[in-house]
Amino acid sequence: MSQGFDVAIVGATGAVGQALIQILEERQFPVRRLHPVTSSRSAGEDVIFHGMPVTCIDIEEFNFSCVQVAFFSAGEECSEKYAKKAVASGATVIDNTSAFRYDDAIPLVVPEVNGECLVKMKLPALVANPNCSTVQMCVALAPIHKAYGVKRVNVCTYQAVSGAGRKAMDELATQTSQLMAGQTVETNVFPTTMAFNVIPHIDTMQDNGYTREEMKMVWETKKILGDESIQINPTAVRVPVFYGHSEAIHLETEKPFELDDVVEHLKKAEGLVLASDINAFATPMMATEHDDVYVGRLRRDISHPNGLNMWVVSDNIRKGAATNAVQIAERLPLAQPPEI
Ligand code: A2P
C-alpha cells in the first residue's frame, strides 16, 4: 500500500524544474511517484528525488493519465502543445509559463492573495502560475490595496538571470570569467553582454514600446488583484545577479494613509517579511533559498501626498515560480489515486 499523488514535472532538468523537486521534498508534498519529463535531449538522464535517482522521460512518450498533478516549466511552446492534452487525460496542470495566464477561464494564482479560488476547484483543471516579477509585487501590493486601494504603480525591476533559465546562468558565469581574463565575450542567450552590465530588455518588444515582460506585470497584476482600474507603469531590467529579483515600487493609493498603519498591514500579511527598521532592506543574496517576499526601504513619497515607496526582493525561482506552484497544488482538492 502506497499513499500520495503521482506527480509529473515537465522541464525537470531546468532551473525551475530542479527547484520544484527540492521544494516538493522540503514541504513534504505527498508524492507517491515522481515522473521527471523533459525533451528527448535529457530523456534517460537521472534527477535525484529524496536521494534516489529517477530517470527522465521524453514528453513524446509520456502518458499524463498516470499522474494527478503535472507541473509544467518547459517554456510556452511546450505548454501550448501538451498542457491541455494532459488535463484531458485527467491530470491537473499547474503551468509556469505565460501560455494561459491571460485566458479569463483559467485562474492565475498567488495563493496568499487570491488562493481562495483553488479550494473548491473542479478537477482536473489548468491553473496558471504568474510571472516571477508579478508574484512578489502582488504579495507586497495586496495588503495595501485591501486597506487603501492602489491607484497607480511605477515599478522598476532588477531581475536575476536565473529567470531566463540554466543556459542564461551559464552565460553570465562564462562571460564573467571571460571578461576577468581579458578575453572576448560570447553572447547567445542575452541581447548583449550580461556580465558587468544591465539590460533593460526582457522578452520581446511590443508595439507600445514596452517589453512583453513589462506588459506581463500589467496584465497579471490586474487579474490577480481583481481590479482592472489599477494603473501600472513598469520597466523590467536584467542585472548580473544569479538568483533573486528586486523591485523599486512607487505607488499611489486612493485613500490617504499613515505610515505606521501601513507597517501594521504589511506585518500581518502572509508570506511577507517587513524589514524591522525603516532604513533596512533585503538584497537578492539575502532572499536566495527563502520563500518569503522581503519588503524594505518603506517610506512616504516626498513628491505625492498618497505616495509610498518600497524595495521588494524575493527568490525568483522559489516564490517567483516553484514555491508558488507547489503552494497552489497544496490548496487544490486533489483526490487520492487508487492504492497500488
Ligand atoms: P531538456 O534538457 O530536455 O531540453 P531552463 O528553463 O532552465 O532552460 O530548462 C528548461 C527545461 O524544459 C529543461 O528541463 C528542458 O529539458 C525542458 N524542455 C525544453 N523544451 C522542452 C520540450 N519541448 N518538451 C519537454 N521538455 C522541454
Side-chain angles (χ1 to χ4, degrees), residues 95-111:
D95 185 56
N96 202 42
T97 75
S98 51
F100 308 104
R101 289 178 189 155
Y102 317 117
D103 181 332
D104 288 341
I106 294 175
L108 178 67
V109 181
V110 178

Side-chain angles (χ1 to χ4, degrees), residues 2-19:
S2 180
Q3 287 193 319
F5 302 106
D6 302 306
V7 176
I9 298 182
V10 180
T13 53
V16 174
Q18 287 289 295

Side-chain angles (χ1 to χ4, degrees), residues 10-16 37-43 59 73-74 78 82 164-167:
V10 180
T13 53
V16 174
V37 180
T38 60
S39 76
S40 56
R41 290 180 292 270
S42 301
I59 196 161
S73 198
C78 177
Y82 297 102
R166 250 183 209 289
K167 286 191 188 131

